[in-house]
Amino acid sequence: MLETIRTKTSGWIAAVILVFVVISLTMFGIGDYFTGDSATYVAKIGKEEIDPNEFRSRLTDERNRAQSELGSGFDPAMFEDPTRKRAILDRMVEEELLFQAAREAGAEMTDARLRQEIEGLEYFQKDGKFDSAQYQILLQARQMSPSGFQEL
């Protein structure tokens, strides 16, 4: 039986078919295996991408903020809920859209406006007012400098 297969596949027709298969795989099929061109982002807004590390970092920040606010009433399972994760991602997309719109409109952040925005962030406040010590502690916990945070 193997001898019959060998004699049938050794003709010029088999060679033509083999060449055709090799050429078609080379041009269309096998290229995708070597390119490694897979999407590695959570969301894409225009040309900007939100990568998985950014999303994980935001999720961790939100979890830490909720834990500090709720104390012993904090339930870590609430951050495993897909709707909660989707809400966080939606906020990140909205922020990126606003950033892109501001950039296109030529909006510029002045130093006074930047200070006002930072002082208005809830997690840097204590008793409703900006707390410089809280600001330093949270930046150190994220291993960021004040200038790096301001740039962000």
Side-chain angles (χ1 to χ4, degrees):
M1 181 171 148
L2 292 176
E3 191 172 319
T4 308
I5 293 173
R6 182 171 180 250
T7 58
K8 299 277 186 189
T9 60
S10 61
W12 66 273
I13 294 175
V16 169
I17 291 173
L18 183 64
V19 167
F20 177 73
V21 168
V22 168
I23 289 173
S24 64
L25 281 176
T26 304
M27 297 184 84
F28 303 109
I30 204 163
D32 291 339
Y33 291 109
F34 298 113
T35 58
D37 189 25
S38 61
T40 57
Y41 53 84
V42 178
K44 186 168 185 173
I45 306 99
K47 293 182 180 179
E48 298 296 321
E49 299 173 352
I50 298 176
D51 68 352
N53 291 332
E54 262 183 284
F55 178 68
R56 273 189 232 108
S57 176
R58 178 66 70 91
L59 187 62
T60 301
D61 289 347
E62 293 284 330
R63 183 181 291 127
N64 291 342
R65 185 180 59 74
Q67 187 173 15
S68 68
E69 286 179 3
L70 298 174
S72 63
F74 175 72
D75 180 19
M78 68 184 190
F79 281 91
E80 299 305 321
D81 181 28
T83 56
R84 172 74 65 138
K85 290 180 179 180
R86 179 61 188 233
I88 292 171
L89 180 61
D90 287 345
R91 255 183 283 153
M92 292 177 75
V93 169
E94 287 173 8
E95 289 170 6
E96 181 59 36
L97 286 170
L98 287 172
F99 181 72
Q100 288 179 9
R103 190 174 348 145
E104 288 173 11
E108 189 175 329
M109 180 66 80
T110 63
D111 290 338
R113 174 67 189 231
L114 179 62
R115 175 181 282 288
Q116 181 182 12
E117 289 295 322
I118 291 173
E119 288 177 355
L121 295 173
E122 295 174 14
Y123 40 86
F124 293 140
Q125 294 182 1
K126 199 172 206 177
D127 299 327
K129 293 184 179 182
F130 178 75
D131 184 14
S132 180
Q134 180 79 2
Y135 176 68
Q136 293 297 330
I137 290 169
L138 288 174
L139 288 183
Q140 286 174 355
R142 290 199 66 193
Q143 300 176 347
M144 290 185 90
S145 67
S147 60
F149 180 74
Q150 291 170 4
E151 182 64 33
L152 179 66

